[in-house]
Amino acid sequence: MSDNPLHLESYREALVFLATAGVVVPLFHRLRVSPVLGFLIAGAALGPHGLGSIAGAHPIVSLFTIADVEGVSRLAEFGLVFLLFMIGLELSWERLARLRRLVFGLGLAQVAISTSVLAAVGHYRFGVDAAPAILMGAALAMSSTAVVMPVLSEARRVNKTPGRVAFSVLLLQDLMVAPALFYVSFLAQTKSGGFGAREAIYAFLPAIFALAGLIVFGRLLLRPLFRLVASAQLTELFMAACLLVVVGEALVTAAAGLSMGLGAFIAGLLLAETEFRREIEVTIEPFKGLLLGLFFVSVGAGLDIGAVIADPGPVILNAVGLIALKAAIIFPLARAFGIERRPALEAALLLAPGGEFAFALLTSAMLAGVLPGHFGADAMVVVTLTIFAIPLLGRFGAALSAQAEREEDDETQYAHLAPESAVAEDRVVIVGFGRIGSLVGEMLERHNVPFVAVENLVSLVSQGRERGVEIYWGNAARRDFLVRCGVEQARALVVTIENAAAVEEIVRLAHEIREDLVIVARARDARHATKLYALGASDAIPETIEASLQLAETVLVDVGVPMGYVIASIHEKRDEFRKILQPTGEEARARQKERRMNIKREQARRRISGRSAGEAGEEV
């Protein structure tokens, strides 16, 4: 017998969450409803105020409930941390500087005015003292980064004007969490005996030094660290390094009195311009998805359904009032900053509900004794209820914008603010940047064809970066990595690596992602080329045949055969080999014919769009 028996109770919450994720995500995808709403509903149903309320009378029910909401919430907080890290990866210091008008203009105005108005409502309508009312106003002025950004991402509206406006305001709100927490400390110290200038300096200095240290550390050490880890070619080690950076920087900022999300965001910014960015995105994405799902479940579990059912009128009225009041503030502010009417309305609807930082601020205030417990508890119920409405408000706002959205104006007015989502758009992707790949790149440059390269050897990536090539380190034999590199929008894909199995996998995945993509692959021999054609390659170049043709061309020229005849005969022989190597059978030939027709149509479309753009430029 074992001395350490397995305690199933310790794993119950984890098992319940994994089972919930396995049911919620496929079900809500099939229903075409945001999984965020599914996680929130599941959390409310399985939490202590849902099924948990009858677990005492029916012990079997306890197996399907989430009892330790506080413990789950501590882990779930990392969902927001990983989300902000990924947002930082999509930006850069330069793009952040371009966002400064929306961040420090619109964002700061939203926080200041919303806090003032909500504090006044709390003081005059609900009888909260002035200082706690300001704190409650600041908490309710916050919006939900963890829910708004996934809702925008699912609707593919992050790069639209409403997405950029919402992100800018959310970023400023994240930065304001630290001063809000400082205000809680200030009220607590004042209540217990004073809070002077020296105490204020001591409170802020650790935060300032922590931020400065993170930025200096990141600039000097992050890239060398990832080069060292990547050179080991161990997936597990690279994953461990990613988690260390995200969690480590988050905990450093938390220890300094700032939010964990801010540290993760800075880490993302520092890694955004490195050659490891795409591989990091692919590595972190599963952790972000799971932890965000857990975060939504924890938010839902915190909703006191009993309190809502016992007296639904005031709670629902307060929730609707909060959304209406914040939307009425954000909409005119966005219009004042030059945002069009419909995008401004969509952004206002997304930002009007409360956010997850309200829980942290209100809880801290109640624990410090500066906010009466019943006010804080009521406010948290209202905030939770409004968070439930975000997916629905997002769909409603998107529908309003879609009715009269002008894509050209939207793209041109705010295009410089968008995070890069399709790095290879209208460019050639070269997988493998050794001798063959670099030569292909040189020829593309000579003919002014833009390209982006992918390589899994750190030394080759470093050499490419030194030459000014946009090249990323990573494993291209993974679907998620190819998507992150923008293969869906690429002009063509060239695979030059030596590993035959990896070439086959990359060709297969790329063809699945986009059937009409031009794929040119390096083949080991004729048999390998035939297999690549069957997997979806447009052209497969066998090394042995191509070397033989080049040798024949050189010999024929050297013995006096005219160059024109030699080139024509070599091309003719190459076409003969291509026909022999391509898949046989009626179905295969039809598929190949249809593929080539799609490629020709795409090329024609590009030529027409290019001429249209040129004519538009001339008119301007």
Side-chain angles (χ1 to χ4, degrees), residues 5-85:
L6 180 65
H7 296 288
L8 292 178
E9 186 66 22
S10 305
Y11 301 94
R12 182 164 53 81
E13 269 86 5
L15 290 173
V16 169
F17 167 68
L18 292 174
T20 302
V23 173
V24 165
V25 175
L27 176 62
F28 276 74
H29 269 302
R30 176 166 292 187
L31 296 174
R32 296 184 179 180
V33 178
S34 171
V36 172
L37 187 59
F39 280 120
L40 291 170
I41 294 173
L46 301 175
H49 305 294
L51 289 178
S53 61
I54 62 173
H58 303 85
I60 190 69
V61 176
S62 64
L63 297 175
F64 308 100
T65 61
I66 298 173
D68 186 12
V69 177
E70 185 178 348
V72 170
S73 298
R74 283 196 294 271
L75 178 61
E77 188 177 353
F78 281 98
L80 182 60
V81 169
F82 280 85
L83 173 65
L84 286 168
F85 175 76

Side-chain angles (χ1 to χ4, degrees), residues 380-413:
M380 286 196 283
V381 171
V382 169
V383 168
T384 305
L385 209 58
T386 61
I387 289 176
F388 271 78
I390 294 175
L392 301 177
L393 291 172
R395 295 188 70 175
F396 179 65
L400 288 177
S401 296
Q403 293 176 8
E405 195 171 60
R406 294 178 298 172
E407 296 290 341
E408 295 81 8
D409 290 349
D410 190 47
E411 291 297 323
T412 55
Q413 187 178 5

Side-chain angles (χ1 to χ4, degrees), residues 93-271:
W93 291 106
E94 181 184 358
R95 287 191 183 87
L96 187 60
R98 290 174 179 173
L99 281 167
R100 64 185 180 276
R101 180 172 172 270
L102 291 177
V103 174
F104 298 104
L106 175 59
L108 194 59
Q110 183 272 326
V111 171
I113 296 176
S114 296
T115 298
S116 302
V117 173
L118 291 168
V121 171
H123 181 61
Y124 294 106
R125 171 70 177 81
F126 296 99
V128 184
D129 291 340
I134 294 173
L135 180 60
M136 281 189 63
L140 296 175
M142 301 294 179
S143 307
S144 179
T145 304
V147 183
V148 170
M149 293 309 296
V151 167
L152 285 168
S153 179
E154 288 166 13
R156 297 185 177 182
R157 299 190 66 77
V158 174
N159 291 336
K160 301 294 182 183
T161 303
R164 296 165 203 164
V165 172
F167 169 73
S168 301
V169 174
L170 290 168
L171 179 57
L172 192 280
Q173 290 179 359
D174 292 343
L175 296 175
M176 294 303 295
V177 171
L181 290 173
F182 169 78
Y183 183 62
V184 173
S185 301
F186 171 77
L187 292 179
Q189 292 285 346
T190 301
K191 188 175 180 180
S192 62
F195 193 80
R198 178 180 298 178
E199 289 78 6
I201 292 174
Y202 287 155
F204 272 110
L205 275 181
I208 295 172
F209 282 123
L211 285 179
L214 284 179
I215 294 172
V216 172
F217 166 79
R219 289 286 190 186
L220 297 178
L221 299 180
L222 278 184
R223 179 171 268 159
L225 170 65
F226 276 96
R227 281 179 179 168
L228 180 64
V229 171
S231 62
Q233 295 288 319
L234 292 173
T235 304
E236 298 84 356
L237 184 59
F238 189 84
M239 183 183 297
C242 292
L243 295 175
L244 173 64
V245 169
V246 178
V247 177
E249 298 219 8
L251 292 177
V252 168
T253 52
L258 302 171
S259 71
M260 290 199 297
L262 180 59
F265 177 75
I266 291 174
L269 281 176
L270 293 170
L271 290 168

